[in-house]
Amino acid sequence: MIREATPGDVPVILAMIGELAAYERAPEAAQATGPQLTEALFGPQPAAFALIAEDGDAPVGFALWFRNFSTWTGTHGVYLEDLYVRPEARGGGHGKALLGALAEICVARGYERFEWSVLDWNEPSIGFYRSIGAQPMDEWTVFRLTGTALHNLADASRVNAA
């Protein structure tokens, strides 16, 4: 049911990224291209990795992840960037199988953390995550720099370094 993604999966992964973005009410935010995803997943220095959930021969979901590092534990971990199962396949165990495969990677490699983010309005996913024993990190807030703010900080850093 779960396998590692191959370069031939890039089009279906891109399609599911678009479906996920639409589900998360931000279809315009999914701007990755096939060449970008191919380079990130299968280039000489992969930045991310993907698993595919299949029902028969049909891809019905994916998990895209990358390694992170904890200075507190001194070990790598897995950060799950995207988990998506197509609506018609939900309830078939694919999401749990994808998470289980990632948990297996963590345990086999000695990684001590497996983390991800979820939108606070996504109650079905939150309930599912709690059902497998995942705990929310209620005292933590995600921060992000993008666009103009990112460029402004970079510019200020260059000016201060000169």
Side-chain angles (χ1 to χ4, degrees), residues 9 12 24 30 35 44 46-47 52 58 76 84 88 107 111 116-117 122 136 146 149 151:
D9 292 314
V12 76
E24 291 185 350
I52 300 292
H76 285 287
Y84 179 74
E88 66 273 13
V107 170
Y111 300 170
W116 61 92
S117 297
N122 192 346
T146 62
H151 288 271

Side-chain angles (χ1 to χ4, degrees), residues 72-95:
W72 289 24
T73 68
T75 63
H76 285 287
V78 163
Y79 185 85
L80 176 61
E81 178 66 20
D82 287 334
L83 174 71
Y84 179 74
V85 175
R86 289 183 157 153
E88 66 273 13
R90 292 183 189 152
H94 303 290

Side-chain angles (χ1 to χ4, degrees), residues 108-139:
R109 297 181 185 180
Y111 300 170
E112 295 191 28
R113 292 183 179 173
F114 176 16
E115 300 176 317
W116 61 92
S117 297
V118 62
L119 291 164
D120 58 9
W121 57 259
N122 192 346
E123 290 298 328
S125 293
I126 291 169
F128 169 63
Y129 298 146
R130 287 180 185 273
S131 78
I132 62 167
Q135 298 296 314
M137 302 296 294
D138 290 332
E139 296 179 4

